[in-house]
Amino acid sequence: MTTTSDERVDRAADHRPEPASPGATPGVGAPGRPARAPHAPADTGLATYLLRLGDDALVLGQRLCQWITRAPMIEEDLALSNIALDLIGHARTLLTLAGRLDGTGRTEDDLAFTRHERDFTNTLLTELPNGDFAVTVARQLAYTHYASLHYEALAGCPDRELAAFGARAVKEVAFHRLHADRWVRRLGGGTAESARRMQRGLERVWPYTAELFDEDDLVRRLAAAGTVPSPAPLRPVWEQRVTEVVTGAGLTVPVPSWRARGGRSGLHTEEFTDLIGELQSVRRQFPGGTW
Amino acid sequence: MSAPTAVTGEAGQEEPLTRFEALIAQGGTIEPRDWMPDGYRRMLIRQIAQHAHSEIIGMQPEGAWLTRAPSLHRKSVLIAKVQDEAGHGLYLYSAAETLGVDRADLLDALHLGRQRASATFNHPALTWADTGAIAWLTDGAAVINQAPLCRTSYGPYARAMRRVCQEEAFHVRQGYDLMRALCEGTPEQKAMAQDAVDRWWLPAVALMFGPPDTEAGGADARTAALGAAVSRRAMAWGIKRHTNDELRQRFVDQCVPQAERLGLTLPDPAIRWNEERGHYDFTPIDWDTYRTALGDDTHWARRRIDHRRTAHEDGAWVREAATAYAAREEAGASADASGPAVPRQAQEERA
Ligand SMILES: [Fe+2]
Ligand SMILES: [Fe+2]
């Protein structure tokens, strides 16, 4: 419960302080093939960064799974499961890469199923409870616009595998973004009730959006070295794009008087304990099991 | 009444009926605009609607395990599967709509208990292994049941079933693979797999194929006659191609060797190879067994419907908004004609 992933990767860093050589082990990112890769030099900074992105995708995917069989129409059961499937796919690639780069050789499943709540570094936005459909749409709006900008930038980064991931993921996220945009417009321009709920959804979610663009020492260092894109400059573009959608739907972009932060350092919401408990329950019930 | 009345009463329909029957006899396909007897239309609507309802109700037992799948690979496979089932529901509701009914009305009928889903799913999925047993056994039964429906006489139904069947076959393989992993795992995992098979065998073998309709399966004459009456009509119209018991036998013959390979025991002591028949014998599904397996009006039957109804009611404001928005868009002749909210077809990506 108390060992953070930072401590773990720092220990690994004692052995291999050098950055990873790009594309050292091609093909290991393929999901379903847990990597016991030839040990590339550990880049714990990049690994920590990838873990954050992977946790975002995993946790949001987990939340969307909770909608399936409960959506307002069958088309949405289909759409939300489609999006969840993509997100879990992103998580698998990112966690696999992270486990390889940090030198511990942990697989995607080791990272998803054996870490404790405090070790997860997803943003609080992604773990917010689903709420009604409008809250979910608001959360999707914020995340998908962020992710498409971020993955697009990632597609240009020097690590070939990471760049390839960014290029693939940005295409998938484009559909998720379209889905969110369309629902904001429909709910904003639907009935009085749907507009009220959509506005309330935005208000609920907005204080959690700033964390997506936070830069700490790690991100600044990686961005300065040109290893990964810096998130802060993406924010104005994000603002502009979501504002266009929200105002176009006859709604108002909230101006939160407060902002949430903490997920990136493992300080989560209270509901997060249940989310992780549920995620890991079967695996924990059968120690030594093979799946 | 006497024969002449019947003839004159149906005079207007005599010719189309003859043509319809000839077409069926030749193994031809009936399309939505073709004339069809009311009974044929009613039987189709009932069967397709029940099938569509079963697809979406069937999402629930496995859907309950999406958040708990014990590996990210299995989670992806399960999401894709449940998503496929939603897609099957959509194709089938669309096929039913070609017969002049509305999806919304069919869903109301399900929610109000006027129509039913397959009772197979009125059983709880209690452990992770249940998701494997369901995919292996109930989807396996579905494939056997549905393969002949790809050649059913009603065109839109046959075409929907061709898409459905391809995906179902995939589900069976994945379910078997999940069970295999458990059987090769720890003793606790294997015990979980056996327990799931113990609970899902009867729902699959009894309920997925409908009531007994021949004596060949071992049912007594009266039981067989009851079921046969229904099957005979469906077969005469080319809606069904085989008796329930024929398909059931095919299912048992397929499962027994698979279970042996897994090292699992099917919970029927009567199962043994019958050299003479060239089939496996098994305990006949008589009406009592069938009724018991139905679990009608049980706690679980109610929960499945309640779950559906709650989702439907909670989502009413969303559907109203979508309808209002679409109407406004149309009125405003907006350039951006709003398509369906589905980002892509379900089939595109597979784990
Ligand atoms: Fe299906
Ligand atoms: Fe299926």
Side-chain angles (χ1 to χ4, degrees):
Chain A
M1 180 79 180
T2 50
T3 313
T4 68
S5 55
D6 277 348
E7 283 162 4
R8 270 187 219 145
V9 296
D10 283 346
R11 281 200 298 277
D14 294 340
H15 307 284
R16 300 287 192 133
E18 293 304 312
S21 53
T25 44
V28 181
R33 294 213 172 268
R36 295 277 174 204
H39 277 277
D43 183 339
T44 62
L46 185 55
T48 305
Y49 172 87
L50 295 177
L51 206 51
R52 294 177 179 184
L53 305 191
D55 285 349
D56 275 345
L58 175 63
V59 169
L60 186 58
Q62 180 78 354
R63 277 290 181 227
L64 292 183
C65 282
Q66 295 176 334
W67 266 109
I68 302 171
T69 73
R70 294 180 177 81
M73 54 189 90
I74 306 168
E75 285 84 349
E76 283 307 299
D77 278 317
L78 211 67
L80 293 172
S81 49
N82 213 333
I83 297 170
L85 189 57
D86 285 343
L87 288 169
I88 299 301
H90 300 168
R92 295 177 66 185
T93 305
L94 290 163
L95 296 184
T96 301
L97 281 172
R100 179 148 51 81
L101 285 175
D102 74 8
T104 61
R106 283 178 294 177
T107 64
E108 58 183 45
D109 287 333
D110 291 335
L111 288 165
F113 295 96
T114 65
R115 282 182 300 155
H116 294 148
E117 296 95 284
R118 296 270 287 108
D119 303 333
F120 282 81
T121 52
N122 55 287
T123 52
L124 297 180
L125 176 85
T126 58
E127 71 190 59
L128 283 182
N130 287 335
D132 68 7
F133 190 67
V135 172
T136 291
V137 168
R139 192 182 59 198
Q140 284 300 104
L141 179 77
Y143 177 80
T144 57
H145 278 267
Y146 150 80
S148 57
L149 285 167
H150 199 175
Y151 287 156
E152 195 184 336
L154 216 53
C157 76
D159 184 300
R160 272 199 316 226
E161 261 181 286
L162 195 51
F165 164 75
R168 172 172 70 87
V170 74
K171 283 188 213 139
E172 293 173 350
V173 172
F175 286 101
H176 310 172
R177 200 188 59 210
L178 235 68
H179 172 260
D181 289 356
R182 195 170 275 158
W183 272 112
V184 172
R185 280 202 296 273
R186 283 173 156 184
L187 297 182
T191 62
E193 185 188 7
S194 69
R196 183 176 53 76
R197 285 188 190 243
M198 191 61 238
Q199 186 63 46
R200 210 174 51 189
L202 293 168
E203 311 281 349
R204 166 94 181 95
V205 157
W206 236 243
Y208 294 87
T209 56
E211 192 181 16
L212 293 168
F213 302 95
D214 269 353
E215 291 191 356
D216 59 3
D217 286 344
L218 169 73
V219 173
R220 273 191 288 270
R221 179 167 66 75
L222 291 171
T227 313
V228 303
S230 168
L234 304 178
R235 186 158 184 191
V237 189
W238 178 87
E239 293 270 11
Q240 189 211 322
R241 290 187 183 176
V242 294
T243 302
E244 216 168 278
V245 178
V246 170
T247 55
L251 302 164
T252 315
V253 177
V255 185
S257 57
W258 61 284
R259 51 154 300 171
R261 173 186 276 136
R264 290 290 188 229
S265 45
L267 298 169
H268 293 280
T269 55
E270 289 178 346
E271 293 91 342
F272 190 64
T273 308
D274 293 339
L275 182 143
I276 294 301
E278 197 177 356
L279 173 79
Q280 299 178 340
S281 57
V282 173
R283 190 124 174 162
R284 287 192 185 281
Q285 276 167 27
F286 294 87
T290 47
W291 306 100
Chain B
M1 291 256 189
S2 57
T5 326
V7 172
T8 44
E10 305 242 336
Q13 298 183 354
E14 197 176 26
E15 203 195 323
L17 180 62
T18 314
R19 241 187 297 134
F20 172 86
E21 282 174 346
L23 201 58
I24 295 281
Q26 293 157 17
T29 301
I30 308 298
E31 292 299 333
R33 289 182 174 192
D34 295 342
W35 183 91
M36 60 187 87
D38 281 349
Y40 177 82
R41 185 185 298 272
R42 273 198 307 273
M43 180 177 269
L44 272 173
I45 292 174
R46 213 196 47 220
Q47 180 168 333
I48 300 174
Q50 197 209 23
H51 192 164
H53 297 330
S54 304
E55 296 286 353
I56 60 166
I57 292 287
M59 291 165 68
Q60 287 181 30
E62 290 171 285
W65 289 89
L66 287 168
T67 54
R68 291 175 283 181
S71 77
L72 295 184
H73 167 65
R74 294 286 177 205
K75 191 191 280 288
S76 301
V77 168
L78 190 60
I79 296 171
K81 182 192 190 248
V82 175
Q83 183 188 33
D84 284 348
E85 308 301 5
H88 299 173
L90 280 183
Y91 310 155
L92 287 160
Y93 284 121
S94 300
E97 285 184 329
T98 64
L99 291 160
V101 289
D102 221 46
R103 194 213 301 182
D105 294 335
L106 295 178
L107 284 174
D108 284 344
L110 172 68
H111 298 155
L112 298 171
R114 289 199 310 266
Q115 287 178 354
R116 286 156 189 268
S118 162
T120 308
F121 302 111
N122 292 345
H123 297 83
L126 299 177
T127 71
W128 167 250
D130 288 41
T131 68
I134 291 170
W136 171 41
L137 297 174
T138 73
D139 289 57
V143 169
I144 288 174
N145 223 345
Q146 292 168 8
L149 292 176
C150 298
R151 295 177 287 111
T152 193
S153 59
Y154 187 57
Y157 189 25
R159 288 189 288 275
M161 289 318 299
R162 272 172 232 148
R163 300 172 72 177
V164 168
C165 279
Q166 282 179 355
E167 295 179 352
E168 296 296 1
F170 204 72
H171 299 166
V172 182
R173 279 202 296 277
Q174 289 171 332
Y176 181 86
D177 183 67
L178 192 161
M179 296 305 271
R180 188 194 43 75
L182 296 179
C183 292
E184 290 171 0
T186 64
E188 289 79 8
Q189 285 181 295
K190 177 144 192 208
M192 173 165 67
Q194 182 63 58
D195 170 60
V197 167
D198 289 347
R199 286 178 290 105
W200 284 96
W201 173 250
L202 190 61
V205 76
L207 301 176
M208 291 297 286
F209 298 96
D213 58 356
T214 66
E215 285 179 66
D220 63 75
R222 196 181 57 90
T223 303
L226 272 172
V230 182
S231 291
R232 211 178 304 123
R233 204 150 62 105
M235 287 167 77
W237 277 335
I239 296 175
K240 264 174 93 78
R241 299 284 183 198
H242 306 274
T243 63
N244 297 342
D245 287 328
E246 243 177 290
L247 295 172
R248 202 184 326 270
Q249 178 70 59
R250 209 178 278 180
F251 174 67
V252 173
D253 289 348
Q254 176 180 294
C255 286
V256 174
Q258 288 177 343
E260 275 168 10
R261 249 177 288 143
L262 289 170
L264 294 171
T265 310
L266 297 176
D268 179 353
I271 289 180
R272 78 178 53 82
W273 179 249
N274 183 325
E275 192 65 56
E276 212 174 295
R277 292 202 305 125
H279 291 290
Y280 285 93
D281 287 339
F282 60 102
T283 304
I285 306 299
D286 57 25
W287 267 99
D288 283 346
T289 315
Y290 185 74
R291 287 249 163 72
T292 313
L294 271 180
D296 246 356
D297 210 29
T298 58
H299 163 66
W300 276 100
R302 282 163 187 274
R303 285 192 57 166
R304 296 292 179 225
I305 297 301
D306 284 349
H307 182 113
R308 256 307 306 166
R309 200 168 38 210
T310 304
H312 194 71
E313 285 167 5
D314 287 352
W317 68 272
V318 179
R319 294 191 304 278
E320 280 159 25
T323 309
Y325 180 79
R328 201 162 307 158
E329 281 285 274
E330 213 167 296
S334 163
D336 172 24
S338 99
V342 185
R344 264 167 301 157
Q345 281 303 305
Q347 296 68 34
E348 217 169 85
E349 180 155 343
R350 261 178 207 282

